[in-house]
Amino acid sequence: MSELLVDKRGHAAWLTLNRPERLNALNTGLKAELVAAAVDVTLDPEVWVVVLRGAGGRAFSVGGDLKDMHARGRAATPMIEVERNVYEAVLEIPKPTVAVVDGYALGGGCELAMACDLRVASDDAVFGMPESHRGMGANFGSVVLPRLIPRAVAMEMLYFGDRVPADRARELGLVNRVWPKAELDERVEEWVAELLTRAPLTLRRYKEMAGKGWEMPVPAHLRLNAGPNPYLSEDRAEGAAAFAEKRPPRWQGR
């Protein structure tokens, strides 16, 4: 069975890390499948939203598979390997991405969640960057985490490697929603369904503008003009017509 399950339903692609017996640890094969899936959903015009989750209910992902690293005789050095970096591939999907964290999101698993635009969690979810306990580097996390939450808190998480429960993660702004574990699947389905009622070109525009201009000066950022142009789209005309006619819009993504 594939280590990554891909389920396209309507305009959403649901990607499920499928190594529950290893708490969805990221081995070489799973990372390769994730990169390939990131390319596929990027190129598929029928996919408007991407959801990333873990199988089994115990973990989103506990990060890099240390047994896999040991068997290969070395750990991968980020950004200089032949293979594309999996976190970068997910980060650069030009459509809204949602990480659904049920259980542990540790190390590379936490980084994978950070690569998504939105993060929702079960009330028993736990986040952490334990690389300082393992002699690893958390290359992606050390760059992105201080941009997502207050810098001093991010550095404490990185330095000490302590675990952060879901409620605290939400307080810090690392997580958007926390729901009871028994209700997680239903709540996520509803949240994604609501997101899909928003204009897809507008969402893509937001992602491109916010991401590509992350640290640009405001005057330059305002002139970036990244992503699809919703102002001249058929969807913009449809949105105005739907408002005037008091009906839900019928988006086409063009």
Side-chain angles (χ1 to χ4, degrees), residues 197-214:
T197 67
R198 293 351 186 226
L201 292 185
T202 298
L203 301 186
R204 289 189 60 181
R205 174 78 171 201
Y206 288 158
K207 176 151 189 177
E208 297 271 9
M209 288 293 288
K212 292 184 176 179
W214 203 333

Side-chain angles (χ1 to χ4, degrees), residues 207-225:
K207 176 151 189 177
E208 297 271 9
M209 288 293 288
K212 292 184 176 179
W214 203 333
E215 291 195 337
M216 291 178 67
V218 170
H221 197 172
L222 288 171
R223 289 162 177 79
L224 183 59
N225 196 28

Side-chain angles (χ1 to χ4, degrees), residues 161-174:
D162 293 338
R163 296 179 177 183
V164 176
D167 286 341
R168 176 59 174 158
R170 187 181 182 195
E171 289 174 2
L172 294 172
L174 185 60

Side-chain angles (χ1 to χ4, degrees), residues 179-200:
W179 291 310
K181 189 178 185 73
E183 301 175 12
L184 183 64
D185 289 346
E186 180 181 357
R187 294 292 192 95
V188 171
E189 293 270 3
E190 292 172 350
W191 212 54
V192 171
E194 183 176 355
L195 182 56
L196 286 168
T197 67
R198 293 351 186 226

